[in-house]
Amino acid sequence: MTVVSYFHIKPLLITKMNTNSFLILLLFSLCFIVFHSHAQNNGFSVDLIHRDSLKSPFYQPATKYQLVVNAVRQSISRINHFYKDSLTDTPKSSVIPDGGSYLMTYSVGTPPFKLFGIADTGSDIIWLQCKPCEECFNQTTPKFEPSKSSSYKNIPCNSNTCQSLRDTSCTEQDSCQYNIQYGDRSHSQGDLSLETLTLDSTTGQSVSFPKTVIGCGTQNTVSFDGRSSGIVGLGGGSVSLTTQLGSKIGGKFSYCLVPLLGDSSATSKLNFGDAAVVSGNGVVSTPLVSKDPKTFYYLTLEAFTVGNQRIEFTGDSNGGGEGNIIIDSGTTLTLMPSADYQNLESAVKELVNLDIYEDPNGQFSLCYNVPSDGYDFPIITANFKGADIKLHSISTFIPIANGVYCFAFMPSQIGSIFGNLAQQNLLVGYDVVKNVVSFKPTDCTKLG
């Protein structure tokens, strides 16, 4: 094997690509639905299905390329918002829940009431719209009615849970109220409560978690009308789903995202507990770095390697060093400070012998006209602390038109995000007990 390794883009993917098919494929990569789950010993797994695939109840044929441009723009805007908010002590939430989201099915209450929620590694609370609703966004599925659940219970104001959370208040009935303000001025407010949360199993069984803290929202204004009932926080905060499951899942969860341009019928996976263990040949691990706010999962990226050239990575200008990049499953692109981006882009340009194409929409800094017989783009290695991860073309270049591919990295004025395109065909495991994130090259389409 030579030092400079490459990954070939098959001509079929380029020559048969048209605007509509690309639109559908890109939107596939942005929004997923958890369709079913299965129990595995002391763990369980959930299938993530592309929101716009034929298997999705939200499937709608895409028609305009401009929607793709808008989706990319919204993704960038969202990341800038949440990173900016994270660096200041403001009462705003981590991310703007718009576009680039994953959806999951789950149930709350007794008897179980099925819901679709946005699975978000950048949020810390599970909240949903509840009846009676004073101010609610348009939800196409039924809303949860707590009065019909025998396991629902409001959390009192003097409880440790209420006292430990930021931006809570009290009602005259001594009920704890939560209030979330998002970067785009969206918000959710309502009762902080205890309820049974259930994940269905394909084996016919179900996995239930009594006394889970949820937010029962009665005043909600958000940007994802009709798509879901609210947010399922998977971040590092005290009332996220992953933190609340805690010892029940051993502090472990993982996911494996199928390729953007792969089989649209394939499903991604979200795993918990024993099912989330990443092991075997090829596994590399890097430390999770503890930083404020605790919502995010911080890693240390030391460099990128392109061919023989190692490009040192500075990362977040607000501190840098350890924990200089956030890994996030809900962010599409990989973002980094302008200086780091320019160094990386220059190294890529040196090895790519193609005509540069100027993106007419001004979204991407580096695009190429790719010939009909395809092109071998260089593999880019992300050199995390203790873990070198090879990123192939499916993770580093995306098509924006017939025969035009753009670099899926972008400069950011705010901070650094390792996005989900870069995580395709990787089994990514989080262990918050051992404080590590592990990566294993995996054909995610073949996971059972």
Side-chain angles (χ1 to χ4, degrees), residues 42-44 241-243 245-255 270-278 288 297 428-436 438:
N42 294 320
F44 55 94
L241 176 62
T242 47
T243 301
L245 296 186
S247 60
K248 300 182 184 70
I249 60 171
K252 294 186 285 290
F253 72 97
S254 67
Y255 50 76
L270 175 64
N271 314 297
F272 296 92
D274 288 351
V277 175
V278 180
L288 269 173
Y297 297 104
V428 184
Y430 298 69
D431 189 329
V432 298
V433 175
K434 295 182 178 180
N435 288 318
V436 296
S438 298

Side-chain angles (χ1 to χ4, degrees), residues 23-35 47-62 103 258-260 262-268:
L23 168 61
I24 295 172
L25 287 169
L26 182 56
L27 292 182
F28 278 2
S29 75
L30 301 181
C31 301
F32 295 78
I33 296 174
V34 173
F35 194 72
D47 280 349
L48 298 171
I49 293 180
H50 299 274
R51 187 183 73 87
D52 294 299
S53 78
L54 293 174
K55 292 183 178 181
S56 167
F58 295 122
Y59 172 74
Q60 290 183 349
L103 303 177
V258 298
L260 165 62
D263 181 2
S264 62
S265 65
T267 58
S268 298

